Structure formats: structure tokens, C-alpha cells
Amino acid sequence: MVPANCSHCHQPTEIDVRQSINVALDPELKARVKDGSLFVWECPYCGHRNLALYQTLYHDPDAKLMVWLLPGQAQPPQQVAEAVKQLDGYTLRIVREVGDLVEKVNLHDAGLDDTVLEMCKWVTRRELAEKNPAAMDARLRFLRLEGADNDLVMAFPLNGQMQMVNIGFNVYEDARGILQRNPSVKPAEGFAEINAGWIEQFFR
């Protein structure tokens, strides 16, 4: 239990948090991560639903995926970070927000590579910006694959409203080709933070 204050009535209370999430040991947690409900708590005083943002390590041993949710600029403990480097074939990621954790789990389940997805987003933002320059800074988030052609469905906030865009799988394949032609564009060893800022280091 940790202390928390309701964002609506500001009353203090205590909430349950999970410092680790192993979906092999507790499979039902995966669905609660994917729909975000694991990080939502209801105020006992006014009933308002709040988002709990705290450090936790998501681990899916079968998928060989570890995602560390580290709000702010926190970093994994050095001893742990060094130890997990020895895990063969694992994807190791750092995210800063609950929505980013949800996206990593969803795209991994869909068989997608997050480095390729960030390249795909980079291309898509520029295409969207041709019609609306504000879209250049849009935070695209992958939701799912859809249809017989496996279109990538993404959401992003723009002008105060949530927008949806379907991106042909060919765009993802083109993005993969770009990265294959640029082998220096790859994640750092160990827990890597793969997001828009990461891809912008290499392409502007």
C-alpha cells in the first residue's frame, strides 16, 4: 500500500500497487495491463477514478519481454539492469507512462518490432502534417492490427480531440526496409527507451 490523493476531492488514502507484474505467474494481469485497469483506482470518498502512475516491471517470460515503467527520469537499479542483459533473446524496454506500457505489450503481442513502429510513426507524422502542420508533434499510439490486410490502427490527440488513423501494413514494411538500410539505428544494450525522441536522433 502507498499513499495517494484523489485528483478530484484531494482526500488522502492508500492504494495497492504492484512493483512487478509477471503474467506467467498471474495471467489475468495481462488483460488488466492491456486495458489499463490495473492502474486505475477509485476514491473511497467521492468515487472518482484516478490513474496511479508508479514504478513497476512488466515481465512476460513466454514472450521474452520486460518493460519497466519508470515515471519521470528514473532509471532501473544498475545491478538489476546488468543482470538482465544476460537474458538471451529478451526485448528490454523503459517507458514513462501507462499508455506507453500498454502500447509495448499490444505491439509485441501483434508480432511487431517497436523500432520499426517508431520509424513508421515518423513517416506517418510527416504525411499527416502535410494536411495539418500540428500533426508533426502528434503522439501516435499503436492500438491493434485490423482487417485482412493488417492495417495498423493508431490513435493520437490533436486540437483537444482524439483522432484515429489506419496505416497500411506496407508503410510498416517500408519502415523496416529503411532501418535495414541503416544498421546503426538500433537500441542501446540493455533496457532501452524506444520512442519518438529515440528515432529523431537518427532522422530529422
Side-chain angles (χ1 to χ4, degrees), residues 50-71:
N50 297 270
L51 179 66
L53 184 59
Y54 53 87
Q55 292 189 20
T56 188
L57 177 63
Y58 175 91
H59 184 198
D60 186 339
D62 294 333
K64 292 190 173 182
L65 175 68
M66 280 190 185
V67 184
W68 214 318
L69 174 58
L70 294 169

PDB file of all heavy atoms in Angstrom, residues 50-71:
ATOM      1  N   ASN A  50      -9.114   7.427 -10.553  1.00  0.00           N
ATOM      2  CA  ASN A  50      -7.815   8.068 -10.711  1.00  0.00           C
ATOM      3  C   ASN A  50      -6.819   7.129 -11.389  1.00  0.00           C
ATOM      4  O   ASN A  50      -6.927   5.899 -11.263  1.00  0.00           O
ATOM      5  CB  ASN A  50      -7.251   8.458  -9.342  1.00  0.00           C
ATOM      6  CG  ASN A  50      -8.099   9.462  -8.614  1.00  0.00           C
ATOM      7  OD1 ASN A  50      -7.916  10.662  -8.748  1.00  0.00           O
ATOM      8  ND2 ASN A  50      -9.049   8.980  -7.806  1.00  0.00           N
ATOM      9  N   LEU A  51      -5.844   7.721 -12.057  1.00  0.00           N
ATOM     10  CA  LEU A  51      -4.760   6.948 -12.650  1.00  0.00           C
ATOM     11  C   LEU A  51      -3.591   6.895 -11.677  1.00  0.00           C
ATOM     12  O   LEU A  51      -3.127   7.937 -11.197  1.00  0.00           O
ATOM     13  CB  LEU A  51      -4.295   7.587 -13.969  1.00  0.00           C
ATOM     14  CG  LEU A  51      -3.140   6.879 -14.683  1.00  0.00           C
ATOM     15  CD1 LEU A  51      -3.572   5.497 -15.164  1.00  0.00           C
ATOM     16  CD2 LEU A  51      -2.631   7.723 -15.851  1.00  0.00           C
ATOM     17  N   ALA A  52      -3.129   5.705 -11.379  1.00  0.00           N
ATOM     18  CA  ALA A  52      -1.974   5.520 -10.499  1.00  0.00           C
ATOM     19  C   ALA A  52      -0.735   5.307 -11.367  1.00  0.00           C
ATOM     20  O   ALA A  52      -0.652   4.336 -12.124  1.00  0.00           O
ATOM     21  CB  ALA A  52      -2.186   4.320  -9.587  1.00  0.00           C
ATOM     22  N   LEU A  53       0.225   6.218 -11.260  1.00  0.00           N
ATOM     23  CA  LEU A  53       1.464   6.105 -12.027  1.00  0.00           C
ATOM     24  C   LEU A  53       2.592   5.808 -11.052  1.00  0.00           C
ATOM     25  O   LEU A  53       2.932   6.637 -10.204  1.00  0.00           O
ATOM     26  CB  LEU A  53       1.732   7.408 -12.786  1.00  0.00           C
ATOM     27  CG  LEU A  53       2.952   7.424 -13.712  1.00  0.00           C
ATOM     28  CD1 LEU A  53       2.854   6.343 -14.773  1.00  0.00           C
ATOM     29  CD2 LEU A  53       3.108   8.795 -14.366  1.00  0.00           C
ATOM     30  N   TYR A  54       3.170   4.610 -11.165  1.00  0.00           N
ATOM     31  CA  TYR A  54       4.212   4.203 -10.232  1.00  0.00           C
ATOM     32  C   TYR A  54       5.174   3.254 -10.946  1.00  0.00           C
ATOM     33  O   TYR A  54       4.884   2.746 -12.030  1.00  0.00           O
ATOM     34  CB  TYR A  54       3.600   3.508  -9.006  1.00  0.00           C
ATOM     35  CG  TYR A  54       2.671   2.356  -9.346  1.00  0.00           C
ATOM     36  CD1 TYR A  54       3.156   1.063  -9.531  1.00  0.00           C
ATOM     37  CD2 TYR A  54       1.296   2.568  -9.471  1.00  0.00           C
ATOM     38  CE1 TYR A  54       2.305   0.010  -9.841  1.00  0.00           C
ATOM     39  CE2 TYR A  54       0.434   1.512  -9.786  1.00  0.00           C
ATOM     40  CZ  TYR A  54       0.950   0.246  -9.961  1.00  0.00           C
ATOM     41  OH  TYR A  54       0.109  -0.791 -10.271  1.00  0.00           O
ATOM     42  N   GLN A  55       6.322   3.028 -10.336  1.00  0.00           N
ATOM     43  CA  GLN A  55       7.311   2.137 -10.929  1.00  0.00           C
ATOM     44  C   GLN A  55       6.846   0.690 -10.841  1.00  0.00           C
ATOM     45  O   GLN A  55       6.414   0.235  -9.785  1.00  0.00           O
ATOM     46  CB  GLN A  55       8.654   2.267 -10.209  1.00  0.00           C
ATOM     47  CG  GLN A  55       9.339   3.605 -10.409  1.00  0.00           C
ATOM     48  CD  GLN A  55      10.759   3.606  -9.868  1.00  0.00           C
ATOM     49  OE1 GLN A  55      11.369   2.550  -9.685  1.00  0.00           O
ATOM     50  NE2 GLN A  55      11.289   4.793  -9.624  1.00  0.00           N
ATOM     51  N   THR A  56       6.953  -0.003 -11.954  1.00  0.00           N
ATOM     52  CA  THR A  56       6.664  -1.442 -11.949  1.00  0.00           C
ATOM     53  C   THR A  56       7.369  -2.108 -13.122  1.00  0.00           C
ATOM     54  O   THR A  56       7.585  -1.475 -14.163  1.00  0.00           O
ATOM     55  CB  THR A  56       5.148  -1.713 -12.007  1.00  0.00           C
ATOM     56  OG1 THR A  56       4.908  -3.111 -11.804  1.00  0.00           O
ATOM     57  CG2 THR A  56       4.548  -1.302 -13.341  1.00  0.00           C
ATOM     58  N   LEU A  57       7.728  -3.353 -12.952  1.00  0.00           N
ATOM     59  CA  LEU A  57       8.386  -4.122 -14.009  1.00  0.00           C
ATOM     60  C   LEU A  57       7.410  -5.144 -14.563  1.00  0.00           C
ATOM     61  O   LEU A  57       6.980  -6.059 -13.851  1.00  0.00           O
ATOM     62  CB  LEU A  57       9.631  -4.822 -13.465  1.00  0.00           C
ATOM     63  CG  LEU A  57      10.388  -5.716 -14.455  1.00  0.00           C
ATOM     64  CD1 LEU A  57      10.931  -4.891 -15.620  1.00  0.00           C
ATOM     65  CD2 LEU A  57      11.522  -6.462 -13.763  1.00  0.00           C
ATOM     66  N   TYR A  58       7.063  -4.997 -15.838  1.00  0.00           N
ATOM     67  CA  TYR A  58       6.194  -5.943 -16.530  1.00  0.00           C
ATOM     68  C   TYR A  58       7.073  -7.027 -17.143  1.00  0.00           C
ATOM     69  O   TYR A  58       8.044  -6.732 -17.854  1.00  0.00           O
ATOM     70  CB  TYR A  58       5.406  -5.229 -17.626  1.00  0.00           C
ATOM     71  CG  TYR A  58       4.554  -6.147 -18.478  1.00  0.00           C
ATOM     72  CD1 TYR A  58       3.236  -6.411 -18.136  1.00  0.00           C
ATOM     73  CD2 TYR A  58       5.070  -6.753 -19.628  1.00  0.00           C
ATOM     74  CE1 TYR A  58       2.453  -7.257 -18.904  1.00  0.00           C
ATOM     75  CE2 TYR A  58       4.298  -7.602 -20.407  1.00  0.00           C
ATOM     76  CZ  TYR A  58       2.990  -7.845 -20.040  1.00  0.00           C
ATOM     77  OH  TYR A  58       2.228  -8.679 -20.807  1.00  0.00           O
ATOM     78  N   HIS A  59       6.718  -8.295 -16.885  1.00  0.00           N
ATOM     79  CA  HIS A  59       7.532  -9.409 -17.370  1.00  0.00           C
ATOM     80  C   HIS A  59       6.633 -10.482 -17.961  1.00  0.00           C
ATOM     81  O   HIS A  59       5.740 -10.996 -17.289  1.00  0.00           O
ATOM     82  CB  HIS A  59       8.360  -9.983 -16.215  1.00  0.00           C
ATOM     83  CG  HIS A  59       9.303 -11.074 -16.632  1.00  0.00           C
ATOM     84  ND1 HIS A  59       9.865 -11.958 -15.737  1.00  0.00           N
ATOM     85  CD2 HIS A  59       9.793 -11.429 -17.853  1.00  0.00           C
ATOM     86  CE1 HIS A  59      10.653 -12.804 -16.383  1.00  0.00           C
ATOM     87  NE2 HIS A  59      10.621 -12.506 -17.669  1.00  0.00           N
ATOM     88  N   ASP A  60       6.879 -10.790 -19.232  1.00  0.00           N
ATOM     89  CA  ASP A  60       6.186 -11.889 -19.910  1.00  0.00           C
ATOM     90  C   ASP A  60       7.263 -12.888 -20.342  1.00  0.00           C
ATOM     91  O   ASP A  60       7.874 -12.731 -21.408  1.00  0.00           O
ATOM     92  CB  ASP A  60       5.414 -11.367 -21.124  1.00  0.00           C
ATOM     93  CG  ASP A  60       4.564 -12.450 -21.788  1.00  0.00           C
ATOM     94  OD1 ASP A  60       4.868 -13.643 -21.581  1.00  0.00           O
ATOM     95  OD2 ASP A  60       3.611 -12.111 -22.508  1.00  0.00           O
ATOM     96  N   PRO A  61       7.540 -13.899 -19.525  1.00  0.00           N
ATOM     97  CA  PRO A  61       8.616 -14.847 -19.844  1.00  0.00           C
ATOM     98  C   PRO A  61       8.394 -15.590 -21.154  1.00  0.00           C
ATOM     99  O   PRO A  61       9.354 -15.863 -21.885  1.00  0.00           O
ATOM    100  CB  PRO A  61       8.603 -15.815 -18.652  1.00  0.00           C
ATOM    101  CG  PRO A  61       7.917 -15.083 -17.551  1.00  0.00           C
ATOM    102  CD  PRO A  61       6.904 -14.214 -18.228  1.00  0.00           C
ATOM    103  N   ASP A  62       7.145 -15.939 -21.471  1.00  0.00           N
ATOM    104  CA  ASP A  62       6.877 -16.688 -22.699  1.00  0.00           C
ATOM    105  C   ASP A  62       7.196 -15.851 -23.934  1.00  0.00           C
ATOM    106  O   ASP A  62       7.692 -16.361 -24.939  1.00  0.00           O
ATOM    107  CB  ASP A  62       5.419 -17.136 -22.733  1.00  0.00           C
ATOM    108  CG  ASP A  62       5.099 -18.155 -21.648  1.00  0.00           C
ATOM    109  OD1 ASP A  62       6.026 -18.874 -21.225  1.00  0.00           O
ATOM    110  OD2 ASP A  62       3.932 -18.222 -21.222  1.00  0.00           O
ATOM    111  N   ALA A  63       6.899 -14.548 -23.869  1.00  0.00           N
ATOM    112  CA  ALA A  63       7.176 -13.646 -24.991  1.00  0.00           C
ATOM    113  C   ALA A  63       8.580 -13.047 -24.922  1.00  0.00           C
ATOM    114  O   ALA A  63       8.979 -12.314 -25.827  1.00  0.00           O
ATOM    115  CB  ALA A  63       6.143 -12.527 -25.018  1.00  0.00           C
ATOM    116  N   LYS A  64       9.309 -13.358 -23.852  1.00  0.00           N
ATOM    117  CA  LYS A  64      10.646 -12.793 -23.617  1.00  0.00           C
ATOM    118  C   LYS A  64      10.609 -11.259 -23.710  1.00  0.00           C
ATOM    119  O   LYS A  64      11.366 -10.639 -24.453  1.00  0.00           O
ATOM    120  CB  LYS A  64      11.664 -13.372 -24.613  1.00  0.00           C
ATOM    121  CG  LYS A  64      11.944 -14.853 -24.400  1.00  0.00           C
ATOM    122  CD  LYS A  64      13.117 -15.327 -25.231  1.00  0.00           C
ATOM    123  CE  LYS A  64      13.479 -16.769 -24.874  1.00  0.00           C
ATOM    124  NZ  LYS A  64      14.660 -17.243 -25.633  1.00  0.00           N
ATOM    125  N   LEU A  65       9.707 -10.703 -22.923  1.00  0.00           N
ATOM    126  CA  LEU A  65       9.515  -9.250 -22.907  1.00  0.00           C
ATOM    127  C   LEU A  65       9.563  -8.730 -21.477  1.00  0.00           C
ATOM    128  O   LEU A  65       8.870  -9.239 -20.599  1.00  0.00           O
ATOM    129  CB  LEU A  65       8.165  -8.888 -23.538  1.00  0.00           C
ATOM    130  CG  LEU A  65       7.766  -7.411 -23.492  1.00  0.00           C
ATOM    131  CD1 LEU A  65       8.677  -6.577 -24.398  1.00  0.00           C
ATOM    132  CD2 LEU A  65       6.303  -7.252 -23.912  1.00  0.00           C
ATOM    133  N   MET A  66      10.390  -7.697 -21.250  1.00  0.00           N
ATOM    134  CA  MET A  66      10.397  -6.959 -20.000  1.00  0.00           C
ATOM    135  C   MET A  66      10.250  -5.477 -20.317  1.00  0.00           C
ATOM    136  O   MET A  66      11.007  -4.944 -21.136  1.00  0.00           O
ATOM    137  CB  MET A  66      11.695  -7.174 -19.211  1.00  0.00           C
ATOM    138  CG  MET A  66      11.778  -8.449 -18.422  1.00  0.00           C
ATOM    139  SD  MET A  66      13.232  -8.418 -17.324  1.00  0.00           S
ATOM    140  CE  MET A  66      13.149 -10.069 -16.643  1.00  0.00           C
ATOM    141  N   VAL A  67       9.281  -4.849 -19.682  1.00  0.00           N
ATOM    142  CA  VAL A  67       9.076  -3.413 -19.860  1.00  0.00           C
ATOM    143  C   VAL A  67       9.021  -2.785 -18.471  1.00  0.00           C
ATOM    144  O   VAL A  67       8.169  -3.143 -17.657  1.00  0.00           O
ATOM    145  CB  VAL A  67       7.778  -3.099 -20.629  1.00  0.00           C
ATOM    146  CG1 VAL A  67       7.673  -1.599 -20.872  1.00  0.00           C
ATOM    147  CG2 VAL A  67       7.729  -3.857 -21.946  1.00  0.00           C
ATOM    148  N   TRP A  68       9.918  -1.854 -18.227  1.00  0.00           N
ATOM    149  CA  TRP A  68       9.985  -1.203 -16.927  1.00  0.00           C
ATOM    150  C   TRP A  68       9.298   0.157 -17.027  1.00  0.00           C
ATOM    151  O   TRP A  68       9.740   1.028 -17.769  1.00  0.00           O
ATOM    152  CB  TRP A  68      11.435  -1.008 -16.486  1.00  0.00           C
ATOM    153  CG  TRP A  68      11.615  -1.141 -15.002  1.00  0.00           C
ATOM    154  CD1 TRP A  68      10.811  -0.642 -14.028  1.00  0.00           C
ATOM    155  CD2 TRP A  68      12.659  -1.866 -14.333  1.00  0.00           C
ATOM    156  NE1 TRP A  68      11.280  -0.987 -12.786  1.00  0.00           N
ATOM    157  CE2 TRP A  68      12.417  -1.740 -12.941  1.00  0.00           C
ATOM    158  CE3 TRP A  68      13.763  -2.576 -14.774  1.00  0.00           C
ATOM    159  CZ2 TRP A  68      13.256  -2.300 -11.992  1.00  0.00           C
ATOM    160  CZ3 TRP A  68      14.598  -3.136 -13.821  1.00  0.00           C
ATOM    161  CH2 TRP A  68      14.342  -3.005 -12.445  1.00  0.00           C
ATOM    162  N   LEU A  69       8.208   0.296 -16.297  1.00  0.00           N
ATOM    163  CA  LEU A  69       7.510   1.576 -16.218  1.00  0.00           C
ATOM    164  C   LEU A  69       8.203   2.414 -15.159  1.00  0.00           C
ATOM    165  O   LEU A  69       8.136   2.119 -13.961  1.00  0.00           O
ATOM    166  CB  LEU A  69       6.034   1.360 -15.868  1.00  0.00           C
ATOM    167  CG  LEU A  69       5.187   2.607 -15.610  1.00  0.00           C
ATOM    168  CD1 LEU A  69       5.183   3.544 -16.814  1.00  0.00           C
ATOM    169  CD2 LEU A  69       3.760   2.216 -15.233  1.00  0.00           C
ATOM    170  N   LEU A  70       8.885   3.470 -15.608  1.00  0.00           N
ATOM    171  CA  LEU A  70       9.665   4.334 -14.726  1.00  0.00           C
ATOM    172  C   LEU A  70       9.258   5.786 -14.972  1.00  0.00           C
ATOM    173  O   LEU A  70       9.778   6.439 -15.883  1.00  0.00           O
ATOM    174  CB  LEU A  70      11.169   4.152 -14.986  1.00  0.00           C
ATOM    175  CG  LEU A  70      11.765   2.796 -14.636  1.00  0.00           C
ATOM    176  CD1 LEU A  70      13.175   2.675 -15.199  1.00  0.00           C
ATOM    177  CD2 LEU A  70      11.780   2.583 -13.130  1.00  0.00           C
ATOM    178  N   PRO A  71       8.312   6.306 -14.197  1.00  0.00           N
ATOM    179  CA  PRO A  71       7.879   7.700 -14.394  1.00  0.00           C
ATOM    180  C   PRO A  71       9.039   8.686 -14.207  1.00  0.00           C
ATOM    181  O   PRO A  71      10.000   8.412 -13.485  1.00  0.00           O
ATOM    182  CB  PRO A  71       6.819   7.899 -13.310  1.00  0.00           C
ATOM    183  CG  PRO A  71       6.357   6.512 -12.971  1.00  0.00           C
ATOM    184  CD  PRO A  71       7.567   5.637 -13.133  1.00  0.00           C
TER     185      PRO A  71
END
